[in-house]
Structure formats: C-alpha cells, structure tokens
C-alpha cells in the first residue's frame, strides 16, 4: 500500500493509523524527501507497534510517469488535494491503466466527472478499482445510505425508494483541504450545466433511475417529519452527486434528499467557542484537544411502500480530520486485500464510489473494530414522510 500526500495534515493522521497495522508493507510518498523522513521519525516516536514505511519521493509534475512507483503496490491512496490542482489525474491514470487499486479524498465534482469520463473504461479493462472520495462526510453518507436502503430488503420491479440524509452533528474544524478545494472550484473551468445536474457523476445512468431533478433533492428551509426543520448541509451537494453514482451503479431507483438539522450549526458554533483558539485552527491541523473532542452524527431514513428503515451513524473525534484520515487509510487497507469481507463479491474494475464496490456491512464492521464509527438502526411500518 502506498500513501501519497503523507506529509500533509490528513496524510499524517492516515500514516499514523497505517503505522499501527501489524505486518503491513507500505510506503509514504510525496514531493519533499525531508518532510517524508521527518514523518517517519515522528511515527516511530508515537510508541506502540510500528510498521516502518518506505519513502518514495515523487512529484506530480508530469516529468516522471507515476507508473514507475504505483505498480509496486496493490493499492495507492492519496490525500494530496485539491486533486484538480496538484496533478491528481496523473496518479488516477497510472493506477487505472496498470490495474492498481486507488482511493482519494477528492471533493471537486468536475474533476471527479473527468476521471469517470477519462478512466472508467481503462479501469474496467485493467481490473483497477478507482474509488473516489473517502473523506467525511461522503464516506459516512455513502455507507449510511446503503445500510438504510439495505434494511428495506430487495426492491421489486420499478419500486422507488425515498432516502433522507440529515447531518445532525458536526463538531470539528474545517480543514485546509476543504477550503483550498472551495477556492479551486471557484476558479475552475467546466460546463456550468454540471452545477445543476443531479447525475453529473453518473453520465451513463439508465434514464429510468434518474428520478431527481435537484442536486440536493429539495429546497430549504423545509420541515421534515421525524427530523424537524431542515436546512442546507454544507457538504450536501458533494455527497449527493456521489451517492447518486452509487445508486445508479447498483441499479437502485432512489429519490434522495440531503440536508442538516437546524440545530447543527448552533451546536458547531458552541463547540468551537468552548475550545479557545479553535477559530484560528479552522484551516490548519487541529489542536490535540480539538481533534479528540470532536464528534459527528448523520441520520439516514429510507422508505418504500409504506415501510421505513433508519440508520444513525456517529463517531468521536474531529470528523474532517480523524474520520477522513482513517476512512482513507481503511479504504486503502481494504483495496490492498488486508480486510476480509470488505469488497462486494464479484466486484470488477472501474471508477467507483466506496459503496458501489465495497460491502456495506463488512466495511461497517471493520470501521467499528477500529473505533471510528457507531451505528444504531430501527425499522417501522409507517406513513410516507411529510415534507413542507
């Protein structure tokens, strides 16, 4: 397993997690040798079991083909965003053409669309599983959505499910990667109709599965029975586009709505106010206290034919850093063959989301085992959810 961008903040946390994996053969990669060697020393000082990584110096400037180093691994994971600005396509191309599995923490939907258009066919031919976006909150969103839909049982014929994804708690910082990505997106050039296409990341989707007309699936503010007042989720558009790629790749007909509970933002503000200095840390690596004290909760309710299934996922630690870093690392371990039962049976190559190629129940069990996630579920026979 190779971790690219290991010397960044999220990369560092991911490396710390990988260094604790017994018997793992892995490497850290990036542009600056001195930074990588410094990271190796820091990992060794963290105590406990230490799987020492090899160091690979590799700049994504087009001068050296990444195939020279990605082909040494079963899987490559990257935290080096923004991916549209830092040569991310070079790694995707190398992996897709060489049959090497890949995952990243990308957010730029226009870049993701170009990876779908440019490398899905190559990945299918080589057998590489190219997995886009394993950070918070899309990995949690993808996982929770599939668990909720799975609780309804198999769909019959043209049955359509309704899925509400409501972010209830986000207590943590806003990573520099997210802010840099927002800046990159504001300055990016791409067809503007992509902004309003709910299925922009599923360009080959069957028309029968295209049931949504809005990216977020709804207007705000809205009252949702069982959830209360719902407002926009700042991560919602990123989540929704990728979730629909999952739905359509799995042949699921789903009407999706994404949002946040109205209390999420006041709770987030209060959390930051309770941690002196946290505002100045919003675009930097979080302080140890902020990293440890953070928390998140994401609720999913799937309904079909009068039956519903609800899943509440939650976790401790700063979601933008702890969940993103460990989610990336665990996806990499799965793709490298280190986690039994984490991939769908018969999964082939292609450009995927996490849950279109990974087994939701198997991956949930793995994330529980490393204390990254908790899950509560319940089902009911009920009336259709009311939205006002």
């Amino acid at each position: 397993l190779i971790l690219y961008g290991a010397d960044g903040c999220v990369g560092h946390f991911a490396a710390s997690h990988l260094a604790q994996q017994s018997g793992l053969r892995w490497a850290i990669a990036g542009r600056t040798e001195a930074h990588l060697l410094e990271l190796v020393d820091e990992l060794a000082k963290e105590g406990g079991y230490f799987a020492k990584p090899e160091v690979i110096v590799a700049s994504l400037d087009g001068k050296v083909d990444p195939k020279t180093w990605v082909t040494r691994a079963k899987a490559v994971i990257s935290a080096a965003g923004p991916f549209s600005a830092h040569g991310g396509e070079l790694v995707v191309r190398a992996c897709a053409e060489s049959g090497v599995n890949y995952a990243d923490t990308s957010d730029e939907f226009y870049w993701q669309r170009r990876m779908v258009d440019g490398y899905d066919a190559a990945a299918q031919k080589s057998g590489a599983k190219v997995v886009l976006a394993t950070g918070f909150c899309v990995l949690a969103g993808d996982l929770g959505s599939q668990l909720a839909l799975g609780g309804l049982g198999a769909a019959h014929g043209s049955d359509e499910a309704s899925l509400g994804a409501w972010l209830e708690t986000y207590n943590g910082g806003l990573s520099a990667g997210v802010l840099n990505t927002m800046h990159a997106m504001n300055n990016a050039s791409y067809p503007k109709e992509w902004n309003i296409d709910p299925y922009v990341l599923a360009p080959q989707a069957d028309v029968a599965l295209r049931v949504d007309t809005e990216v977020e699936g709804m207007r705000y503010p809205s009252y949702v029975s069982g959830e209360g007042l719902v407002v926009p989720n700042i991560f919602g558009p990123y989540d929704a586009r990728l979730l629909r790629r999952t739905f359509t790749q799995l042949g699921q007909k789903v009407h999706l709505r994404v949002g946040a509970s109205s209390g999420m933002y006041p709770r987030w503000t209060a959390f930051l106010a309770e941690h002196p200095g946290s505002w100045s840390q919003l675009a930097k690596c979080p302080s140890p206290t902020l990293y440890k004290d953070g928390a998140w909760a994401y609720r999913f309710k799937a309904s079909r034919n009068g039956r519903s299934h609800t899943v509440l996922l939650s976790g401790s630690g700063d979601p933008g850093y702890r969940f993103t870093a460990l989610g990336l690392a665990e996806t990499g371990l799965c793709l490298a063959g280190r986690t039994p039962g984490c991939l769908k049976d018969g999964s082939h190559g292609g450009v995927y989301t996490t849950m279109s190629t990974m087994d939701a129940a198997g991956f949930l069990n793995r994330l529980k085992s490393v204390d990254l996630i908790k899950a509560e579920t319940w089902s009911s026979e009920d009336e259709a959810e009311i939205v006002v």
Side-chain angles (χ1 to χ4, degrees), residues 152-351:
L152 297 177
H156 300 286
S158 60
D159 285 353
E160 177 182 323
S162 175
L163 178 71
W166 317 121
L167 185 61
E168 297 187 339
T169 300
Y170 182 91
N171 288 347
L174 193 62
S175 74
V178 170
L179 296 176
N180 290 336
T181 294
M182 290 179 176
H183 178 73
M185 291 179 67
N186 288 336
N187 292 283
S189 176
Y190 57 88
K192 295 309 175 186
E193 58 268 24
W194 286 3
N195 278 322
I196 59 174
D197 181 0
Y199 296 92
V200 64
L201 296 183
Q204 304 301 320
D206 189 323
V207 66
L209 301 179
R210 296 171 177 258
V211 297
D212 285 327
T213 58
E214 297 175 305
V215 172
E216 293 164 288
M218 62 187 298
R219 301 291 178 88
Y220 310 100
S222 294
Y223 175 83
V224 177
S225 60
E227 188 67 26
L229 186 65
V230 170
V231 297
N233 170 2
I234 61 172
F235 308 107
Y238 310 113
D239 291 3
R241 295 180 180 108
L242 285 153
L243 297 191
R244 290 193 183 94
R245 182 164 181 81
T246 299
F247 301 152
T248 57
Q249 284 188 310
L250 297 180
Q252 298 169 331
K253 189 175 183 179
V254 181
H255 170 48
L256 172 67
R257 292 167 297 141
V258 296
S261 67
S262 60
M264 193 269 289
Y265 294 102
R267 286 192 291 271
W268 187 11
T269 302
F271 171 79
L272 294 175
E274 291 169 359
H275 290 76
S278 58
W279 287 102
S280 63
Q281 293 290 323
L282 276 180
K284 304 176 183 178
C285 285
S287 66
T289 301
L290 196 66
Y291 183 82
K292 177 178 69 70
D293 291 350
W296 61 275
Y298 208 167
R299 185 185 301 271
F300 308 85
K301 184 177 181 180
S303 303
R304 186 175 58 231
N305 298 333
R307 185 169 184 267
S308 70
H309 187 72
T310 300
V311 173
L312 176 64
L313 299 182
S314 61
S316 60
D318 186 316
Y321 285 104
R322 183 172 188 264
F323 187 95
T324 294
L326 272 63
L328 175 66
E330 286 296 334
T331 301
L333 291 170
C334 173
L335 294 174
R338 294 272 302 187
T339 308
C342 69
L343 291 172
K344 292 183 183 298
D345 292 337
S347 180
H348 303 292
V351 177

Side-chain angles (χ1 to χ4, degrees), residues 2-5 29-31 56 58-62 64-71 73 75-84 86-105 111 115 119 122-123 126 128-132 328 351:
I2 296 173
L3 168 60
Y4 191 85
R31 293 174 295 178
I56 297 174
S59 295
L60 301 181
D61 54 11
V64 177
D65 190 340
K67 288 180 183 177
T68 60
W69 52 272
V70 304
T71 50
V76 174
I77 55 177
S78 178
F83 293 82
S84 59
H86 291 161
E89 182 175 354
L90 297 174
V91 182
V92 172
R93 178 191 298 139
C95 289
E97 293 179 352
S98 303
V100 177
N101 294 335
Y102 166 90
D104 62 35
T105 56
W111 180 83
M115 299 308 99
Y119 304 106
S126 73
K129 297 176 179 65
V130 175
V131 179
L132 302 174
L328 175 66
V351 177

Side-chain angles (χ1 to χ4, degrees), residues 31-91:
R31 293 174 295 178
T32 308
E33 183 177 28
H35 294 168
L36 296 171
L37 293 174
E38 181 180 355
L39 174 58
V40 173
D41 290 341
E42 291 176 3
L43 294 175
K45 294 175 183 177
E46 289 180 356
Y49 180 85
F50 174 51
K52 185 176 181 179
E54 183 180 334
V55 169
I56 297 174
V57 180
S59 295
L60 301 181
D61 54 11
K63 295 179 180 179
V64 177
D65 190 340
K67 288 180 183 177
T68 60
W69 52 272
V70 304
T71 50
R72 298 179 56 199
K74 292 182 178 179
V76 174
I77 55 177
S78 178
F83 293 82
S84 59
H86 291 161
E89 182 175 354
L90 297 174
V91 182

